[in-house]
Each structure stands twice: as C-alpha cells, then as structure tokens.
Amino acid sequence: MNQQQDITDILHHMGEHDLPFNAVSPPIFQTSIFCFKSFDAFKEALEDEANHFIYTRGNNPTVNLVEEKIAALEHAERAKLVASGAAAISASVTAFVKKGDHVLAVQDCYSWAKSLLVNYLSRFGVESSFVDGCDPAEFEAAIRPNTKVIYLESPTTFTFKLQNLKAVAAIAKKHGIKTIIDNTWCTPIYQNPIDLGIDIVLHSATKYLGGNSDAVAGVIAGKEADIRHIFETEFMTMGAVPDPFMAWLILRGMRTLHIRLPVHFESAKKITAFLAAHPLVESVLYPFTPDYPQRELAETQMRGGSGLFSFRLKTRDVNKVRTFVDTLTLFKRAVSWGGYESLISPSAVGNFPDGIIPDDKVSLIRLHIGLESVESLVEDLTRALDAIR
Ligand code: PLP
C-alpha cells in the first residue's frame, strides 16, 4: 500500500475502477453465498477462506471495498469490517488472550470495552487492570509477566486523556505485548497510530467514518498476520458480520470524511473557546484548547481533532444541569457522536449505584459539534446558559 497516497484517491477511486455497467457508485453485493465453477475451485477457496468469496459471513466485495480503503487510510496492511465498534473491540482483544493472561487498559476507555474486560473476559480467566494512562511510566509499572495486550483509547472520549502512543508502543514491544487502540475520536484523517508503532487500530465506524448517524459498524486494521488471526479466530467464530448494505452506507459516508473532519475540528475549537470564556463554565476538556495540559502531546501525535469534547458547568445542582440541557433546541439529547448533527450527553443521565450521582459527574457534559453553523450553536448554548444564571 502506498502510504503517501492522496486521501481523495483512497476515498473516491481506490477499488472503484471498471465497475459493472460503468456505474459510478459501487454495487451492493447483497448475497449470502458465492458459487464455484468446479470441485477444485471450491476446494481451493475453502483452503484459504480469509482471501476468497465463499460466504458473506467471511468476505463480500462491498464489505472488502470498505476494508481496502480503511487499511490504506490507517497505513495498515489489512482491515476487517465488523458489525459494530463493540464487535471490533471484543474481536481484537479476545483474539490475543487466553486463560491466565492479563490485559492492561486505560481507566477511562469506552464503557463496553471496560465491561468486556471486567465482566466478560474475567469469566474465562483473563485478568485485567487499568491505568490513568497520561504517563507512559504507568504502563511500564503495571505490566505483569502475563500481560498480553495493552488496550488504549487516545484521547478517551468522555475525559479526553491522551496516551503517548510512541512511548507506550515502545514499552509494549520491549515486553512482546500487543497494542490495540480505539482511534474513533481522531479518525485516520488526524491520527495514524500504526505509524507510531501501535499494532492494531480499531474504530466505531458508526461515528465519523459513517458520519450520517444511519449505520452501525466497526473496523479493525493492522498487519496482515494479525487481521488474519482475528478473522480465523474471533471473527468467524463469534460472527459479528457486517451486512453489505451497511458496508455501502459506510462507504458512502466515507466519501466526505476529509471534508467533514476539518469542519468538526474548526467548529469545536470555536465553541470550546466560547465555553472556556463563559463565567458559568468551570472547565473544558478538549485536547486542542490553548491551556490543555496535554496540548503539546496532542499536537505531536495528532494532526487535528474532532467535534467531541466535555465541559463542566460551575454548579453541582442537577436541576440546573437539567434546565441547561432541556433549554437547548439545536443540540439533540442523544448517545453516540460522529454524525452531521450536534448532540448533548450529560453524565448525570447515566445509571449510578443507589441512584446517587457522584459529585464529579453531576455537571460533566459531553457535546458533539456537528456541521451546523457555529453562530447558531453558540446562540443555542448562550440561551441555555442564560437559563441557569
Ligand atoms: N468506541 C468508542 C470510543 C465509542 O464511543 C463507542 C460507542 O459509542 C464504541 C467504541 C462502540 O461502537 P459501536 O456503538 O459502533 O458498537
């Protein structure tokens, strides 16, 4: 794969030459099976299922087209599209551990990644432990003789803590440990962890890759041998299959990825600056705000950022938080992120033991800045902040 390949060449042309009937948009191969001309051809395909069209649970041309583009974007040898981001996480981590092994992960990783480690893999004798992750020395200190995987998410997507990817990758390599990162926030437009020594990159394609809040998908990218191992173990066994139509939706969304990301980034910078200067805002968690503690690292390993960040209101009164959230008209109250639309997700709506919201969660609010005009979004936020003065 040519790593310097122009991004639009990847997004718009790669794998799309000579389409049937000179079609511009690639067809959706909505088929569950592929047939063979002969006994021998059938036998040959089954000997190497990872590289043949046999059954759509394994490979499908529409699915593979997305994989080819994502591998190129992530500077990976190969990629595998799966049914969701959660499937990407579970397939990639599970493929590299067995009973008695240990996974070291970042404390604030995506909640279902943590659940995989704490509630699921523990049932099969896989241990896990967590570090804050801001200092690479924490990883070195927490590595155990049985550590097989280091699981990263940089930045973490509620608290926006970064890991030094180059340093952590070097530590892991020294100990023969596989590194896996969730790169959903930055996307390959702004961060290429494989260039920094990380082994496996995964995404919730539901977010920016799809970009339209209409498809759920995940993707795993890395070395040929690693992706093949994941294919032959977890992927084919657990069956988190990407549907061809879903793959086509992701393909359609990806055509505008390089246009959308800079808009999310520029708008987020403006809105974080507005919030940081507002008297009712306590703090803003976004790696590219001027005074962010890890800004230097952010600028070293990322070329830009996306539209998702958190902030804290200067209150611990959940009623004020409720009023703020309910006054907004443009920000939709919803989970997830990465689409064209702006969203708000207050921490306080989560489920907490005994119904008691921890103090640090009451006023922690996550915003996704979509593609709307910044002026309209600032107006909306101003009205909501005025409502809690
Ligand atoms: N990774 C991150 C950072 C996420 O926020 C999410 C979902 O919100 C996922 C992974 C899981 O992705 P999916 O919802 O596509 O399973």
Side-chain angles (χ1 to χ4, degrees):
M1 204 65 65
N2 173 8
Q3 296 198 356
Q4 300 309 317
Q5 201 153 20
D6 177 70
I7 199 122
T8 58
D9 201 30
I10 297 169
L11 295 175
H12 303 156
H13 304 304
M14 177 182 251
E16 300 189 29
H17 300 292
D18 304 322
L19 296 179
F21 307 104
N22 298 322
V24 169
S25 174
I28 305 171
F29 287 93
Q30 195 69 38
T31 179
S32 61
I33 49 172
F34 302 84
C35 58
F36 299 94
K37 285 206 163 66
S38 66
F39 178 100
D40 286 343
F42 198 171
K43 182 172 166 53
E44 190 191 317
L46 285 175
E47 278 165 7
D48 183 16
E49 183 148 14
N51 288 312
H52 285 86
F53 297 121
I54 298 171
Y55 189 38
T56 281
R57 182 151 60 78
N59 283 301
N60 172 286
T62 317
V63 170
N64 291 16
L65 183 55
V66 181
E67 294 169 353
E68 190 186 347
K69 288 174 193 279
I70 289 173
L73 291 175
E74 281 294 8
H75 305 172
E77 289 172 8
R78 193 161 181 172
K80 190 80 207 92
L81 193 71
V82 294
S84 66
I89 297 166
S90 56
S92 51
V93 173
T94 310
F96 295 103
V97 290
K98 58 178 188 329
K99 184 177 173 191
D101 288 344
H102 168 247
V103 178
L104 179 57
V106 283
Q107 184 68 41
D108 293 349
C109 63
Y110 174 57
S111 56
W112 290 103
K114 191 171 242 183
S115 178
L116 170 81
L117 300 174
V118 174
N119 303 322
Y120 185 82
L121 287 177
S122 60
R123 283 166 39 205
F124 305 98
V126 177
E127 307 170 348
S128 55
S129 64
F130 299 86
V131 288
D132 179 64
C134 291
D135 179 357
E138 292 171 80
F139 290 92
E140 183 89 67
I143 287 171
R144 302 176 186 173
N146 56 342
T147 306
K148 291 291 175 343
V149 168
I150 293 182
Y151 183 82
L152 307 170
E153 184 180 307
S154 185
T156 53
T157 49
F158 229 112
T159 52
F160 298 90
K161 293 177 182 172
L162 276 70
Q163 300 98 58
N164 183 326
L165 302 187
K166 203 168 182 178
V168 176
I171 293 166
K173 281 217 163 49
K174 201 169 68 187
H175 294 271
I177 297 167
K178 200 69 80 189
T179 41
I180 301 175
I181 186 171
D182 184 329
N183 196 28
T184 306
W185 186 82
C186 219
T187 83
I189 298 292
Y190 288 142
Q191 177 166 263
N192 294 115
I194 286 175
D195 293 347
L196 302 172
I198 300 295
D199 295 309
I200 291 165
V201 177
L202 61 87
H203 290 267
S204 165
T206 313
K207 314 292 194 267
Y208 290 115
L209 297 177
N212 285 276
S213 301
D214 57 9
V216 173
V219 68
I220 311 164
K223 289 186 194 72
E224 168 73 32
D226 285 342
I227 300 301
R228 196 184 170 102
H229 175 69
I230 293 167
F231 178 91
E232 286 170 352
T233 55
E234 311 312 313
F235 177 74
M236 286 304 279
T237 311
M238 306 304 262
V241 186
D243 171 70
F245 179 57
M246 176 272 275
W248 186 87
L249 286 173
I250 299 296
L251 194 65
R252 186 169 70 155
M254 279 170 59
R255 278 190 203 115
T256 53
L257 181 66
H258 63 306
I259 304 290
R260 287 185 279 112
L261 255 290
V263 178
H264 289 295
F265 183 35
E266 288 309 314
S267 300
K269 278 195 290 190
K270 287 181 188 151
I271 291 178
T272 50
F274 161 77
L275 287 172
H278 198 284
L280 295 185
V281 172
E282 186 176 282
S283 57
V284 174
L285 306 176
Y286 188 65
F288 291 93
T289 50
D291 57 350
Y292 198 69
Q294 291 183 293
R295 176 157 181 173
E296 207 180 309
L297 177 61
E299 287 179 342
T300 309
Q301 64 188 22
M302 302 189 276
R303 295 180 290 276
S306 65
L308 188 77
F309 65 87
S310 296
F311 73 103
R312 278 200 170 83
L313 288 169
K314 248 183 219 164
T315 180
R316 294 295 177 268
D317 178 353
V318 74
N319 292 318
K320 283 197 166 186
V321 174
R322 182 183 293 110
T323 302
F324 171 78
V325 170
D326 288 350
T327 306
L328 292 164
T329 56
L330 291 183
F331 286 84
K332 295 181 165 70
R333 289 157 283 273
V335 297
S336 198
W337 41 281
Y340 59 90
E341 75 289 15
S342 291
L343 302 172
I344 183 161
S345 178
S347 268
V349 297
N351 293 319
F352 298 102
D354 308 325
I356 298 164
I357 309 169
D359 214 37
D360 65 324
K361 295 270 164 61
V362 175
S363 67
L364 180 64
I365 293 171
R366 192 171 74 175
L367 292 184
H368 177 254
I369 306 302
L371 303 175
E372 306 93 334
S373 91
V374 174
E375 292 68 31
S376 309
L377 295 174
V378 167
E379 241 171 61
D380 203 22
L381 289 166
T382 304
R383 269 189 327 99
L385 286 163
D386 286 348
I388 57 164
R389 271 187 200 277

